[in-house]
C-alpha cells in the first residue's frame, strides 16, 4: 500500500514536471531559456517516472534497466542541453531583451557559412 502511494506520488510529480517543461518550451522567450527548461525539468520528470516504475514493477531486470536509464539521463541531458545552447549561440540566435549581460560576447566565434548554404 505504501509502495503504491509513493509510486503514484512520483508519477504525479514526474508528469507534472514534464507538463511544466512543455509549457516552458512554448512560453519562454528565447531558445536558451527553452533549452534550460526542457533539460532540467524534463529530465527530472523522466527520472521521477522511472523511479515510480521501479517501485511498481520490482525485479532485478527492471532495477538494472531503470538505473541505467536514470544514469544515462543524468549524464546526457546536461551535456545535450549545453551542446544545443552553444550551437544556438554560435548560429546567432538572439538573446531576449530581459537578458542583462552576455558573458560569451566576443569569446565564442560565430559559425562560418560556406557558399551556397543559407
Amino acid at each position: 500500500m505504501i509502495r503504491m502511494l509513493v509510486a503514484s506520488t512520483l508519477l504525479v510529480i514526474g508528469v507534472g514536471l514534464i507538463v511544466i517543461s512543455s509549457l516552458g518550451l512554448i512560453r519562454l522567450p528565447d531558445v536558451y531559456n527553452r533549452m534550460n527548461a526542457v533539460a532540467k525539468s524534463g529530465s527530472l520528470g523522466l527520472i521521477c517516472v522511472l523511479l515510480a516504475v521501479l517501485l511498481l514493477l520490482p525485479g532485478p531486470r527492471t532495477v538494472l534497466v531503470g538505473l541505467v536509464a536514470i544514469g544515462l539521463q543524468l549524464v546526457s541531458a546536461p551535456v545535450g542541453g549545453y551542446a544545443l545552447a552553444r550551437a544556438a549561440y554560435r548560429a546567432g540566435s538572439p538573446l531576449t531583451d530581459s537578458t542583462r549581460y552576455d558573458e560569451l560576447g566576443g569569446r565564442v566565434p560565430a559559425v562560418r557559412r560556406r557558399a551556397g548554404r543559407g
Side-chain angles (χ1 to χ4, degrees):
M1 180 69 181
I2 299 272
R3 188 175 70 189
M4 185 68 105
L5 182 64
V6 171
S8 299
T9 304
L10 281 171
L11 277 175
V12 168
I13 290 170
V15 170
L17 286 169
I18 292 170
V19 167
I20 290 170
S21 176
S22 64
L23 289 174
L25 187 63
I26 295 169
R27 301 276 302 167
L28 289 173
D30 65 357
V31 67
Y32 310 106
N33 290 322
R34 291 177 191 146
M35 273 190 272
N36 190 21
V38 171
K40 290 186 179 178
S41 64
S43 63
L44 185 58
L46 179 64
I47 288 170
C48 287
V49 169
L50 287 171
L51 288 174
V53 169
L54 289 176
L55 287 174
L56 290 174
L57 301 171
R61 182 180 172 141
T62 307
V63 170
L64 178 66
V65 170
L67 291 178
V68 167
I70 289 171
L72 289 173
Q73 182 67 25
L74 286 172
V75 170
S76 66
V79 173
Y82 171 77
L84 286 172
R86 182 177 166 99
Y89 189 84
R90 290 188 68 191
S93 293
L95 296 167
T96 185
D97 293 336
S98 63
T99 301
R100 296 179 188 211
Y101 56 92
D102 180 10
E103 290 181 357
L104 297 177
R107 293 184 184 173
V108 178
V111 176
R112 286 191 248 163
R113 294 197 171 110
R114 290 186 267 170
R117 296 184 110 182

